[in-house]
Amino acid sequence: MVQYDFDRIIDRSGTDSSKHTFDAAKGKTPDMIPLWVADMDFKAPDEVIQRMKDRCEHGIFGYTRVGEGYIRAVQGWFEKRFDWKVPEEWMVRTPGVVYAVNAAIQVLTQEGDAVLIQSPVYHPFNNCIVASKRRTVRNPLVYDGKRYTIDFEDFEKKIVEEKVKLFVLCSPHNPVGRVWTREELTRMGEICLKHHVFVISDEIHCDFVFSGHRHIPFASICESFARNSITCTAPSKTFNLAGLQTSNIFIPDETVREQIKACKSAQHCGEPTIFGLVACQAAYECGEEWLEQLLAYLETSAEKVSAYFAQNLPQIHVVKPEGTYLLWLDCRGLPIPPEQVDAFMLEKAKVWFNDGGMFGTEGIGFERMNMGSPWSVLEQACARIVDAAKKL
Ligand SMILES: Cc1ncc(COP(=O)(O)O)c(C=O)c1O
């Protein structure tokens, strides 16, 4: 069995990587360790790279259809990993999950309609809602100092009072790292059905789930949830393929599916690129062992980061992740105003995280740390923060 080496540092300079492009005008300089945008500093599985090379060697990159093999690979993955059968006719491909979330907002709501999110949450949800002139309604998650849960009373109250039409669910949740249980999903799904709220379930992080937890696809719970939702998936986070812009969206309801397809057509949005298709198929066919090893590596990294702060700087608390490769750091114990935590990380510690406040006001004083890097890099970042904190 191949042992993958996630400790290896791979130089990404000169590749125009978003994560590693430092822009001094925006206050980002090369002496900072970049642990922000959600891609990983690990190579994709060997089989994915090999199949892309083989396809490249062929040398003809003409118009290409989605083949039978691609469809079977996607279906096979969801059946094997989540015991969920996805009929071929449900599938629509988009150049990214945010594209799909945005398209769904366009076709399922009208200007001025209310769309519900659970803050702090992945910020493009709010951006899409605002850019489409819809109204963002928030059901803030409840933090007890250790773990986040849902305030179901508030969830239903907001839906009724604000006349919510659409709910964008983040499952597993970025940035707080919750993997929603069947009970939680069922309760949300039932409330949505009762009040005719359609659900967009963004499950892009579904493959990152740690010991003791299980990802349940929202639409797999029952047929009525399936018909009342669309599920957004992609191999992009899982296998580090974000630059290939290939997502698989599952839309059980025929009318909604046709609306989303029409939205795509109106924008002349075709199928993914050859390399997106080749990589996705290869990853779902051959990437499972790589993923299992990666999950073990990430889980250990999360434990080590948590232990590092607990030992050296307990003013920073790492919220234990149940899933995703994003760590949510509660930095409100530091002797600085919560609004200044991100500037401290950048300017004093020289570590580039995502400022928690960008995910909603509930995230102020928190930082999102992308742990998809070799442990030595994460350790260096932690050490810099501890050193900088000593000078406060
Ligand atoms: C919850 C969530 N949805 C969507 C995306 C991005 O999806 P895409 O690049 O496919 O648009 C991310 C990336 O971090 C994410 O965390």
Side-chain angles (χ1 to χ4, degrees):
M1 193 176 66
V2 181
Q3 274 301 319
Y4 289 97
D5 180 10
F6 298 110
D7 282 327
R8 192 173 140 213
I9 294 182
I10 299 168
D11 183 7
R12 292 181 68 182
S13 60
T15 65
D16 291 329
S17 137
S18 301
K19 193 177 178 180
H20 297 255
T21 300
F22 301 93
D23 186 343
K26 291 186 179 153
K28 308 298 181 334
T29 49
D31 55 349
M32 293 170 178
I33 301 177
L35 301 173
W36 63 292
V37 66
D39 71 20
M40 301 187 281
D41 296 325
F42 307 128
K43 268 198 179 194
D46 293 344
E47 295 83 351
V48 173
I49 298 167
Q50 190 55 50
R51 289 234 212 134
M52 289 174 79
K53 276 186 184 166
D54 292 346
R55 190 65 186 78
C56 190
E57 279 298 319
H58 182 256
I60 298 176
F61 309 112
Y63 293 116
T64 303
R65 291 186 179 195
V66 174
E68 187 75 1
Y70 177 94
I71 301 290
R72 299 290 159 258
V74 176
Q75 288 175 320
W77 184 261
F78 286 90
E79 180 157 11
K80 187 162 183 214
R81 302 289 297 183
F82 307 106
D83 198 16
W84 186 35
K85 282 195 169 63
V86 187
E88 181 174 349
E89 63 270 18
W90 288 6
M91 295 187 199
V92 177
R93 286 152 297 278
T94 59
V97 160
V98 174
Y99 178 99
V101 170
N102 196 52
I105 291 171
Q106 305 293 328
V107 303
L108 298 168
T109 62
Q110 315 259 330
E111 271 192 35
D113 280 351
V115 182
L116 186 73
I117 57 174
Q118 292 176 309
S119 47
V121 71
Y122 182 58
H123 53 292
F125 291 175
N126 180 52
N127 297 347
C128 292
I129 298 166
V130 172
S132 313
K133 299 195 172 68
R134 274 59 169 172
R135 244 177 338 115
T136 305
V137 174
R138 293 181 175 81
N139 164 233
L141 297 174
V142 180
Y143 180 51
D144 67 2
K146 279 189 140 182
R147 190 167 182 257
Y148 282 82
T149 49
I150 296 164
D151 179 345
F152 288 99
E153 258 179 45
D154 180 71
F155 184 84
E156 185 159 14
K157 190 165 160 266
K158 293 275 169 62
I159 285 178
V160 174
E161 284 181 357
E162 303 284 347
K163 300 189 176 54
V164 166
K165 294 277 180 342
L166 189 66
F167 166 42
V168 188
L169 168 67
C170 194
S171 174
H173 190 98
N174 166 15
V176 308
R178 275 299 316 277
V179 173
W180 305 117
T181 62
R182 183 178 290 277
E183 290 67 34
E184 287 169 318
L185 293 167
T186 303
R187 226 171 136 183
M188 286 190 281
E190 280 171 355
I191 295 171
C192 287
L193 274 182
K194 183 172 154 199
H195 300 288
H196 311 288
V197 174
F198 196 83
V199 180
I200 303 174
S201 189
D202 179 343
E203 304 190 10
I204 198 167
H205 294 280
C206 65
D207 294 307
F208 295 98
V209 172
F210 301 130
S211 318
H213 301 279
R214 196 165 165 235
H215 173 76
I216 315 280
F218 177 78
S220 73
I221 293 176
C222 62
E223 215 193 304
S224 45
F225 284 11
R227 273 201 314 273
N228 193 46
S229 66
I230 72 172
T231 304
C232 304
T233 75
S236 52
K237 299 285 154 207
T238 312
F239 298 102
N240 210 19
L241 310 173
L244 297 175
Q245 304 203 326
T246 300
S247 305
N248 297 297
I249 314 302
F250 306 138
I251 314 179
D253 184 274
E254 199 186 335
T255 312
V256 175
R257 191 162 64 235
E258 290 311 316
Q259 283 174 301
I260 301 261
K261 280 186 180 171
C263 176
K264 265 185 72 183
S265 302
Q267 296 171 353
H268 300 279
C269 170
E271 292 291 9
T273 66
I274 293 174
F275 289 107
L277 295 172
V278 167
C280 176
Q281 182 176 341
Y284 283 155
E285 284 176 355
C286 311
E288 195 167 29
E289 177 55 36
W290 178 93
L291 175 63
E292 288 301 338
Q293 291 184 32
L294 173 67
L295 285 172
Y297 189 87
L298 291 171
E299 192 159 357
T300 306
S301 292
E303 282 161 13
K304 287 189 197 163
V305 172
S306 187
Y308 197 103
F309 285 121
Q311 214 167 18
N312 301 295
L313 187 62
Q315 290 88 339
I316 294 182
H317 170 70
V318 180
V319 178
K320 193 174 182 342
E322 298 172 354
T324 82
Y325 56 79
L326 307 162
L327 286 180
W328 189 234
L329 312 184
D330 182 353
C331 305
R332 294 171 306 163
L334 290 173
I336 43 175
E339 296 78 14
Q340 287 172 26
V341 168
D342 196 57
F344 161 79
M345 294 295 177
L346 285 167
E347 291 156 24
K348 304 285 190 245
K350 302 284 177 191
V351 177
W352 183 2
F353 290 144
N354 283 93
D355 183 351
M358 75 195 292
F359 303 101
T361 51
E362 304 81 2
I364 293 171
F366 292 75
E367 292 282 296
R368 192 189 77 173
M369 174 183 193
N370 176 348
M371 59 167 171
S373 295
W375 165 245
S376 59
V377 176
L378 304 184
E379 188 178 31
Q380 202 192 350
C382 294
R384 284 188 185 189
I385 295 165
V386 170
D387 282 350
K390 281 185 191 144
K391 296 180 194 126
L392 283 172

